[in-house]
Amino acid sequence: DLDDTSFPAGPDGVCHPLNYANFNSQHADCMKLYADRGGVWHGWDSLLWEHARLARESANCSSVQSCALGGLFLTMASPMAPGHQETRRDRFREKLWLQISRRAREAQKRILAEHRRKRAKPLFDATFNQGGPELPPRPGEVTIGMHADSSSAKGRWRGQVELWRAFSAEQGHPFLLDSVPYFSGTVFARYLGHYWASSNSTGSRETFWTRYGYLQPQPQSMFMPGDYFSLARVHDPNILDNLVIFQQPPAYWNSLEALAVAVSKNAWTVWIDYDLTLSPCCFGVFSFAELIASEGDKTSSLPHVVLRDSPREDYHHHCANAGFFIVRNTAIGQLFVELARQKRNWPALPYGYQSAMAESLLEILGLEHAVVHGKTTTAYPSTCLPELVLGSPTGSKSYANYCYCYRRELERLVGPEGQRKSRWVKFLNARQGPEVGVLL
């Protein structure tokens, strides 16, 4: 039924702003339909045209960031637009969502193809061990690192930090504690409970958000925008350069920035969240250097990324647990971290940089397939990307839905749990050997 839509539809959907290609609010039937929903007031027609323009811009997005912003801006704009009402299904909204999803996946496909082209030789050399035989690393070549702001490192989490420092000393691992506050922006709004912020100190000094009524919050509340989001522009370079939106406090992303610095300076980096605890009985039992060594065939090349696998008994809303990763300072390890960092400007990612690393893991597995088999295109066509950056057609995001897709793609790319096959990534099997990143 065309009447069961979030906006009045009219003949052939001509009154529906998300049906942007055929939208015409001047049609004879539209005013009555909107009046029946109480959607006619001074300037209603102009605002609907702006909403249709925003839908058109979103449908023609050219990057994952602009596509995700389009979806988010429409989610913000719709409840304040004339004639809008909540509905479970809306064929025009779903058609638009499919178009934005397709554009987002195509944009990321271009990014991955460019990485494949530019890094062809270093990725090939790292994959096929062109540097000669590989030996398992010595403990002194494996750095244990973490990021913690000064107040946490010296405050209530000090015991955890010192525990890992002591373990590192016992096992002969260098220890790295990074407390640099990499995020230098300013949180200026909390729409939908997210953290809307400037991406850096330059945007903060210029208070770029004050140029846009819909970004500037009302004086009495950071949770209420000062103008209609239907006026938003998804291709505005000032917004693309300066706006970041997080579901968690922005400082949480400092850990990923610190990891990038650590990987560039160390042969192997064990990166952990400081809330990852360590049983005292493990002090003399195992070394992280042993986790890196290949299992079975001793002539196998060493991995470039090591992480705990995602067993079925884990919570359904967990994918790759970012609380523990081992990253090697190679073209492959560096690419993995860079792909994750590039997702910082993707708005409102659920679980923050953890989901960025999960998606980046699927991306490097797809690129591995391309390198090993001499293909120019990745074997992972960003299948799960829409669940991550757009959520459902109504704008709601579920990390559990993303993780269901992640697990399916992981099995397709490298095989079932316990039998993963990858040259680039080593998956530590749960319940076998030291258990890292246990989720309780």
Side-chain angles (χ1 to χ4, degrees), residues 374-394:
K375 305 291 185 181
T376 58
T377 56
T378 174
Y380 174 64
S382 300
T383 306
C384 304
L385 180 65
E387 291 287 358
L388 192 62
V389 300
L390 295 173
S392 71
T394 61

Side-chain angles (χ1 to χ4, degrees), residues 86-340:
E86 292 295 332
T87 57
R88 296 185 62 183
R89 301 293 302 272
D90 183 325
R91 67 184 65 188
F92 301 111
R93 183 175 61 200
E94 291 170 4
K95 181 179 179 181
L96 177 60
W97 183 90
L98 290 173
Q99 168 68 2
I100 298 174
S101 297
R102 183 179 64 82
R103 297 282 294 190
R105 292 178 63 189
E106 288 176 349
Q108 191 62 8
K109 182 179 179 180
R110 292 193 297 271
I111 295 293
L112 296 175
E114 186 67 7
H115 281 299
R116 171 74 177 95
R117 184 185 67 80
K118 284 186 174 182
R119 301 167 188 253
K121 187 177 188 310
L123 291 177
F124 180 90
D125 290 348
T127 302
F128 295 102
N129 193 20
Q130 297 299 297
E134 294 185 312
L135 298 175
R138 297 184 298 272
E141 298 174 312
V142 181
T143 298
I144 297 179
M146 64 178 65
H147 183 277
D149 60 273
S150 297
S151 60
S152 296
K154 297 177 181 179
R156 61 176 181 165
W157 291 103
R158 181 176 172 230
Q160 282 289 103
V161 173
E162 295 306 317
L163 180 67
W164 283 107
R165 192 192 304 275
F167 174 79
S168 301
E170 174 71 19
Q171 292 292 332
H173 297 304
F175 180 74
L176 170 65
L177 173 62
D178 189 333
S179 296
V180 176
Y182 292 93
F183 174 74
S184 61
T186 299
V187 175
F188 61 82
R190 293 294 313 280
Y191 310 140
L192 297 179
H194 303 330
Y195 296 81
W196 298 62
S198 54
S199 60
N200 52 50
S201 57
T202 301
S204 299
R205 287 194 303 271
E206 296 175 353
T207 60
F208 82 94
W209 59 90
T210 60
R211 307 176 199 173
Y212 308 92
Y214 56 90
L215 288 183
Q216 173 79 352
Q218 296 181 13
Q220 69 274 19
S221 174
M222 293 181 69
F223 292 84
M224 295 295 295
D227 207 342
Y228 296 104
F229 258 87
S230 296
L231 304 174
R233 304 272 176 170
V234 301
H235 297 303
D236 186 329
N238 191 43
I239 289 179
L240 295 175
D241 289 343
N242 288 291
L243 178 64
V244 287
I245 306 168
F246 305 111
Q247 281 199 0
Q248 300 171 322
Y252 282 24
W253 283 79
N254 285 341
S255 182
L256 184 55
E257 297 299 318
L259 170 61
V261 175
V263 168
S264 68
K265 297 180 178 180
N266 299 281
W268 296 85
T269 301
V270 179
W271 199 250
I272 58 178
D273 287 345
Y274 55 72
D275 61 353
L276 179 66
T277 194
L278 176 69
S279 172
C281 67
C282 293
F283 263 58
V285 175
F286 86 104
S287 166
F288 280 115
E290 298 170 1
L291 292 183
I292 294 170
S294 299
E295 300 170 354
D297 183 4
K298 299 301 182 182
T299 64
S300 297
S301 59
L302 297 176
H304 301 265
V305 178
V306 181
L307 75 156
R308 178 180 183 266
D309 205 347
S310 301
R312 295 178 182 177
E313 65 264 26
D314 275 2
Y315 293 127
H316 59 276
H317 59 278
H318 282 96
C319 304
N321 184 3
F324 168 82
F325 268 95
I326 302 178
V327 184
R328 187 179 177 187
N329 188 4
T330 62
I332 296 167
Q334 292 166 4
L335 176 59
F336 169 62
V337 177
E338 181 178 338
L339 286 170

Side-chain angles (χ1 to χ4, degrees), residues 330-357:
T330 62
I332 296 167
Q334 292 166 4
L335 176 59
F336 169 62
V337 177
E338 181 178 338
L339 286 170
R341 289 182 65 225
Q342 289 175 350
K343 295 171 177 53
R344 179 178 179 269
N345 65 2
W346 293 3
L349 289 185
Y351 276 69
Y353 78 92
Q354 179 159 300
S355 64
M357 296 186 81

